[in-house]
Amino acid sequence: MKKKKPLQHINANKNKRQLEQQKRNEPKTLEAKTENHKNYIRSIVENDITICVGPAGSGKSFIPAGLFSQYLREGRHEQIIATRPLVCSGKDIGSLPGEMGDKIAPYLKPIEENFKYFLGFSNYGQFVNDKRIRYEPLEVMRGSTFNNSLMILDEAQNCTVDQIKMFITRMGENSKVVINGDIKQTDIYNHNGLSIVIDKLQNIDGLGVCTLTYDDIQRNGIIGRILKALEE
């Protein structure tokens, strides 16, 4: 006969699950961990467009997700538009299975997790249901204009110059744009548009360019040391 768990043990587990659920639903506030993080945040606040390059885990996607989540909660802007190129599939987007949301979901998962962290699971779900957080395939954005919006282009090292140009020109009134990527991890070596765009646009008023380094990596201290060693 299976022995029943004590009621006290069951209640303790229940309380633990409730606390975990409560923690997941609590909005988080963005905190700069390094001087480069402060400069990145300052650039987003002060400029219409910010371009950031840096290695994996340095905060180039995490920071705009945190700041834009705060802006959305405060009602400063109407919506967040997030996108990234789908070059990793090796196929045209039309050949991928499922509806449009199914096609792009795996590629945008990292951005989605950042928004869930900062907004809390419940708030995030509400914003998505209200279409105030939208994930748009870069490949089908041509012709759109996003007014009063917070726009993020993630993994831009896999974009061509024309794709980045197209994304920037979707920007409407009272909108902000963040473009980020790791130029050392591109999948399109002969046509890395991000490096070209930075070289051509870095002196334009209203556009900031930021660089994060291995020292800005917060996921785990060993990651920065490993990346440094692999490049030597």
Side-chain angles (χ1 to χ4, degrees):
M1 186 175 181
K2 191 174 181 180
K3 187 176 180 181
K4 293 184 178 181
K5 293 182 179 180
L7 182 59
Q8 184 179 4
H9 180 73
I10 295 174
N11 289 336
N13 287 339
K14 183 179 179 180
N15 291 337
K16 183 179 179 180
R17 288 193 298 270
Q18 288 175 340
L19 288 173
E20 290 174 350
Q21 181 67 32
Q22 182 179 352
K23 188 175 181 180
R24 285 195 298 268
N25 285 328
E26 288 178 353
K28 311 291 191 308
T29 301
L30 176 65
E31 295 181 10
K33 302 294 185 181
T34 69
E35 195 62 33
N36 284 338
H37 287 173
K38 292 179 182 178
N39 292 334
Y40 189 13
I41 293 170
R42 187 179 301 111
S43 178
I44 297 173
V45 171
E46 296 178 351
N47 293 292
D48 294 325
I49 300 172
T50 296
I51 302 175
C52 180
V53 294
S58 58
K60 59 185 183 294
S61 301
F62 190 74
I63 285 174
L67 192 57
F68 284 3
S69 293
Q70 177 183 331
Y71 284 178
L72 196 64
R73 289 198 312 267
E74 295 174 351
R76 298 193 194 185
H77 296 266
E78 182 63 28
Q79 62 182 351
I80 292 173
I81 305 294
T83 189
R84 69 191 300 185
L86 307 185
V87 298
C88 297
S89 64
K91 300 179 181 180
D92 181 81
I93 187 172
S95 67
L96 298 175
E99 300 296 326
M100 188 61 69
D102 299 323
K103 296 173 188 288
I104 67 173
Y107 302 95
L108 294 170
K109 193 70 175 176
I111 306 177
E112 178 185 354
E113 292 303 317
N114 286 339
F115 287 132
K116 285 180 178 177
Y117 173 81
F118 283 110
L119 292 169
F121 278 51
S122 296
N123 289 334
Y124 169 81
Q126 189 62 55
F127 280 124
V128 170
N129 289 338
D130 292 342
K131 300 190 183 303
R132 297 189 64 195
I133 295 179
R134 295 166 51 189
Y135 301 104
E136 301 282 345
L138 181 63
E139 288 76 4
V140 298
M141 290 180 70
R142 191 176 301 278
S144 299
T145 300
F146 301 112
N147 294 308
N148 198 24
S149 300
L150 301 160
M151 303 167 58
I152 299 176
L153 172 55
D154 198 42
E155 299 289 339
Q157 76 275 3
N158 291 324
C159 290
T160 63
V161 172
D162 285 343
Q163 284 178 313
I164 297 176
K165 178 181 176 182
M166 184 273 294
F167 178 76
I168 291 174
T169 55
R170 301 309 96 203
M171 181 184 184
E173 293 294 326
N174 191 36
S175 292
K176 281 185 176 291
V177 164
V178 171
I179 299 170
N180 66 65
D182 181 356
I183 55 178
K184 295 181 180 179
Q185 291 192 351
T186 180
D187 292 325
I188 51 171
Y189 295 99
N190 297 326
H191 306 283
N192 182 356
L194 184 58
S195 296
I196 298 171
V197 166
I198 290 173
D199 288 340
K200 291 188 174 184
L201 302 184
Q202 60 182 331
N203 294 320
I204 289 182
D205 188 39
L207 184 147
V209 177
C210 300
T211 300
L212 302 180
T213 70
Y214 297 127
D215 294 330
D216 298 305
I217 294 176
Q218 299 297 312
R219 288 178 184 169
N220 189 309
I222 196 173
I223 295 177
R225 297 195 294 274
I226 288 174
L227 292 176
K228 281 182 181 177
L230 290 175
E231 285 195 357
E232 292 176 354

